[in-house]
């Protein structure tokens, strides 16, 4: 059974945006504007309102579904390889996930590379998490969610908290994570033609912009989650698209989580694109996956 016509249309949309943003000679600010237009792939989720906030010095955006559980919150991290995208590009997709989970979602507008290399993004993630705690949310009632580099940050943040001996969020949803910065996985090249958003060249550009400290090796477990000790992570669900350059990254993270006895599930979307959650509200397969994510968060937050 093939994928839906809407899934093909979504892939074509991603290809169009990618082609525009790859035009030679573009200024980075222009590229960022083009990448932000990926939000057009999502529909406006019904019954969700938005409010911009200052989360302890980090700009952020609340996505607030009608009837959301006042005691639960999601902390959401956007895509873009640390170089592009923003809380605005993820607003609608995050709203759909928030609605499925029945909880408001704080979409974090973390600083971007190359102006702000690693660990600025993780620092901002931690700041926003601590701000949520000051707002009265309990750690076990916070879900850490994201896709692409955001799916990586969704796991990195709890690991940093564990290293500090502090309470982690209660559950993680990691979509299309980038978990091996060596780019050594076969799918990086095998899916070059299938992935309409990412290529090896793009990943190399992102990697160079993000990791500017020569002392940080691409195999460093703080950077490449496939080498990290994942002991103590909260329940974590991983999604990736079969057509992604990072498909093996997602699959490998899923296996590693199981090896470390983390409560986990891994889901591969047939012919799925990188950051497929951007198709929320238009692509039936995406909506089904978001429904599963919401159920995971409902079951594991506050458990």
């Amino acid at each position: 059974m093939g994928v839906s016509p809407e899934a093909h249309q979504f892939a074509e949309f991603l290809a169009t945006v990618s082609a525009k943003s790859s035009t030679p000679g573009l200024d980075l600010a222009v590229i960022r504007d083009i990448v932000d237009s990926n939000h057009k792939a999502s529909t406006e989720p019904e019954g969700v309102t938005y409010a911009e906030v200052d989360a302890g010095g980090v700009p952020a955006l609340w996505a607030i579904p009608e009837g959301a559980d006042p005691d639960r919150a999601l902390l959401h991290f956007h895509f873009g390889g640390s170089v592009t995208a923003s809380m605005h590009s993820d607003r609608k997709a995050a709203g759909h996930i928030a609605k499925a989970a029945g909880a408001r979602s704080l979409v974090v507008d973390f600083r971007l590379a190359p102006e702000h290399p690693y660990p600025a993004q993780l620092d901002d993630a931690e700041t926003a998490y601590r701000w949520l705690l000051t707002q009265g949310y309990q750690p076990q009632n916070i879900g850490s969610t994201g896709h692409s580099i955001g799916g990586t940050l969704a796991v990195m943040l709890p690991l940093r908290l564990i290293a500090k001996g502090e309470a982690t969020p209660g559950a993680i949803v990691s979509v299309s994570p980038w978990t091996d910065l060596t780019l050594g996985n076969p799918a990086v090249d095998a899916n070059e033609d299938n992935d309409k958003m990412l290529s090896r060249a793009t990943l190399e550009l992102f990697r160079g912009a993000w990791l500017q400290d020569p002392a940080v090796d691409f195999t460093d477990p703080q950077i490449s989650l496939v080498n990290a000790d994942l002991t103590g992570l909260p329940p974590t669900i991983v999604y990736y698209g079969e057509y992604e350059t990072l498909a093996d990254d997602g699959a490998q993270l899923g296996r590693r989580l199981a090896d470390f006895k983390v409560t986990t599930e891994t889901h591969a979307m047939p012919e799925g694109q990188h950051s497929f959650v951007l198709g929320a509200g238009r692509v039936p397969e995406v909506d089904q996956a978001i429904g599963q994510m919401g159920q995971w968060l409902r079951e594991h937050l506050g458990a």
Side-chain angles (χ1 to χ4, degrees):
M1 190 159 152
V3 301
S4 69
E6 293 87 351
H8 289 298
Q9 290 163 7
F10 174 61
E12 289 168 12
F13 172 84
L14 293 180
T16 301
V17 175
S18 185
K20 286 179 185 172
S21 64
S22 303
T23 304
L26 288 184
D27 181 76
L28 181 55
V30 175
I31 293 170
R32 285 173 174 161
D33 281 345
I34 294 168
V35 172
D36 262 7
S37 71
N38 274 296
H39 79 86
K40 294 177 182 176
S42 313
T43 62
E44 285 287 357
E46 290 183 24
V48 177
T49 55
Y50 300 91
E52 293 193 27
V53 289
D54 178 329
V58 177
L61 182 75
W62 275 122
I64 309 165
E66 285 176 8
D69 184 336
D71 297 324
R72 295 183 176 192
L74 309 181
L75 189 60
H76 183 86
F77 307 111
H78 66 74
F79 73 110
S82 82
V83 177
T84 64
S86 69
M87 64 185 182
H88 303 292
S89 54
D90 261 50
R91 176 180 66 81
K92 291 187 280 186
H96 280 277
I97 296 169
K99 188 175 175 180
R104 53 169 61 201
S105 179
L106 187 71
V107 187
V108 181
D109 206 31
F110 52 79
R111 287 169 290 169
L112 298 178
E115 300 95 324
H116 305 282
Y118 174 86
Q121 297 71 29
L122 185 54
D123 292 343
D124 288 353
E126 182 180 356
T127 298
Y129 173 73
R130 295 192 185 284
W131 180 81
L132 277 181
L133 298 181
T134 70
Q135 302 304 296
Y137 294 98
Q138 298 300 310
Q140 68 271 19
N141 292 332
I142 297 171
S144 186
T145 70
H147 61 115
S148 189
I149 195 75
T152 310
L153 289 169
V155 180
M156 281 182 162
L157 171 62
L159 287 175
R160 177 184 270 196
L161 294 166
I162 289 168
K164 293 182 176 185
E166 298 182 39
T168 71
I172 300 170
V173 174
S174 180
V175 180
S176 300
W178 188 6
T179 63
D180 183 357
L181 274 288
T182 70
L183 304 181
N185 278 321
V188 173
D189 297 314
N191 275 338
E192 180 83 19
D193 293 334
N194 292 327
D195 190 324
K196 302 307 180 186
M197 183 188 281
L198 288 182
S199 64
R200 174 179 284 278
T202 305
L203 289 167
E204 287 173 349
L205 281 170
F206 286 163
R207 184 176 69 173
W210 191 38
L211 303 176
Q212 296 178 32
D213 183 349
V216 179
D217 187 84
F218 293 143
T219 60
D220 191 312
Q222 292 186 89
I223 295 298
S224 286
L225 295 175
V226 292
N227 299 323
D229 182 340
L230 305 179
T231 304
L233 279 178
T236 302
I237 195 166
V238 179
Y239 287 82
Y240 64 90
E242 288 181 348
Y243 273 11
E244 291 192 54
T245 54
L246 298 180
D248 292 338
D249 288 50
Q252 200 172 358
L253 177 61
R255 291 192 296 270
R256 293 274 294 171
L257 287 161
D259 288 346
F260 280 94
K261 305 294 189 285
V262 177
T263 299
T264 189
E265 290 179 12
T266 304
H267 297 273
M269 178 166 286
E271 298 185 31
Q273 288 292 325
H274 181 70
S275 284
F276 63 78
V277 291
L278 291 170
R282 292 196 207 277
V283 181
E285 295 95 325
V286 172
D287 290 343
Q288 184 180 2
I290 287 176
Q292 291 173 338
M293 295 172 200
Q295 191 59 37
W296 179 267
L297 290 162
R298 287 173 186 266
E299 288 174 7
H300 293 287
L301 290 185

